Amino acid sequence: MNWRGWGTIAVACAMLLVGMPAGAAPPEDLAQRLEELPGMTVVGERPTEPGFRLFDLTFTQPADHRHPDAGSFEQRLTLLHRDPSRPAVLHTTGYGLPTSTNRTEPTQLVDGNQVNLEHRFFTPSRPEPADWNDLDIWQAATDEHEVISALRGIYDRQWITTGASKGGMTAVYHRHFYPDDVDGTVAYVAPNDVDNDRDAYDRFLSSVGTDPACREALTAVQREALIRRPEMIARFQSFADSQGMTFDRIIGDIDRGLELVVLDASWSFWQYRGQQDCGQVPASTASTDEIYRFLDETVEFAFYTDQGMEPYTPYYYQAGTQLGWPGVSDEPLADLLHHHELSQPRNLVPREIPMEFEPGVMREVDTWVRSQGSELMFVNGQNDPWSAEPFEPGRGDSHSYLVPGANHGAKIAGLPTDQRAQAEATVRRWAGVDVPALRSTGIDHQPVERHPR
């Protein structure tokens, strides 16, 4: 055997010893190849689990893809590299870049590489100065298209897109505009507000769960919190002062902040908690401290401050211009409210940012999903309020699953055995993987980003 043969064996052995799969690019080669991709910058590399490499990257995007010479911004992303011979999964929360590096369920199923992409206008992936007209579903879909196109220079096998909540919505919008970019899409708990003026959420909330007494207890504790308004505001103000939080820039005042927390309580309870926590709903005779603590655990008082809301400005802007928002009646609390229609996006975005709703945008996407979309999978939670208005695929090789008893954290793993096997096999087939993937222990599913109402 010549010296080149011995060298090949030595490199392969070294890779296995450090946890890299044989056949993967040596460290200096992969970083260099990433840097050579047009628009891509390697910010750094961080330690991660054996068998993977984790890169922090940025990708240069036009602020407006229709006018690429009119300015640009750096979009943040991470790459969890497995092996260029494995499939690739692009994951987006639809919000900011995930702080964790956990592999999503599809990535684990196909034992693949994973790209986490930050949505445009979530800081720091925001043009400066920001023209908010450049924040729409087509621009964000084109961001994904450009990133996938660039990374195909290294990862030229099958691609899957995925996301949960607004990330699932974002993945569907990308497929709508660029249906041939990838081989499949797995969208978790992705709401589909086709007609913003006709919502199904009140009907859903009136029957969710298995115990009417739980729903009645939630309404009772919401009413009691408003009856004890002075005491609740005193606690809220003390907390805000201790954290340096304010209410004058976005929320308006602390009274509005309190009402937003109370109004959200029932929705958030079913979105993030569920039937198993019904016994933790305080009675209306409970102490004010108990009621305050329950609302904080369920909704989070910090969220309805200027500082809590500001990171979500791009979401509320999109909700108020294209996505739509859930209309939920405040009738059970109306006699105790000082303010009305607080949850409308216009009330949750700084006034200096102009907004105008475009009816029909979601109808166009919905029509495509029903009549043309393929290789789409939707996974929803039975008790998740967002599942009240789901996507409904209509063509072959698209699938919809409802996870029994699940909330906004629904996963394929929670499906009944036969449905789980079917869904997992479909994802692997899309990815060109014939055998079950190897799953390392200790790697949790990607956490679901808060999807505010």
Side-chain angles (χ1 to χ4, degrees), residues 133-306:
N133 291 312
D134 293 333
L135 176 56
D136 62 35
I137 64 171
W138 179 81
Q139 297 280 3
T142 307
D143 289 342
E144 289 193 39
H145 170 73
E146 294 296 333
V147 168
I148 291 170
S149 298
L151 285 170
R152 278 194 182 278
I154 297 175
Y155 304 99
D156 60 357
R157 300 292 297 274
Q158 287 85 348
W159 277 75
I160 301 290
T161 49
T162 192
S165 194
K166 184 171 179 286
M169 298 159 69
T170 303
V172 175
Y173 305 150
H174 165 253
R175 286 297 299 284
H176 166 58
F177 292 110
Y178 299 96
D180 299 324
D181 263 5
V182 298
D183 301 278
T185 295
V186 184
Y188 296 87
V189 294
N192 177 34
D193 198 346
V194 180
D195 185 343
N196 195 51
D197 295 325
R198 299 180 63 184
D199 283 350
Y201 299 108
D202 281 335
R203 184 170 65 253
F204 180 91
L205 290 171
S206 70
S207 60
V208 64
T210 60
D211 183 6
C214 185
R215 299 191 296 271
E216 293 168 4
L218 283 166
T219 301
V221 80
Q222 287 174 290
R223 291 185 60 82
E224 192 63 28
L226 293 172
I227 291 170
R228 304 189 200 185
R229 187 184 296 261
E231 299 171 61
M232 298 295 290
I233 284 181
R235 285 162 174 74
F236 196 2
Q237 187 69 66
S238 176
F239 165 75
D241 290 345
S242 71
Q243 301 297 315
M245 293 178 167
T246 59
F247 303 91
D248 56 326
R249 173 166 160 72
I250 300 175
I251 299 299
D253 57 49
I254 193 172
D255 196 57
R256 288 178 173 83
L258 174 65
E259 289 197 0
L260 282 164
V261 170
V262 173
L263 287 166
D264 243 10
S266 178
W267 180 286
S268 292
F269 180 85
W270 295 108
Q271 180 176 354
Y272 295 114
R273 304 182 74 171
Q275 188 68 43
Q276 73 280 358
D277 287 343
C278 286
Q280 299 180 33
V281 180
S284 58
T285 55
S287 70
T288 301
D289 284 341
E290 288 179 85
I291 294 173
Y292 184 93
R293 183 166 55 252
F294 170 76
L295 291 175
D296 195 36
E297 292 172 351
T298 304
V299 182
E300 296 181 18
F301 279 90
F303 185 78
Y304 284 115
T305 65
D306 293 335

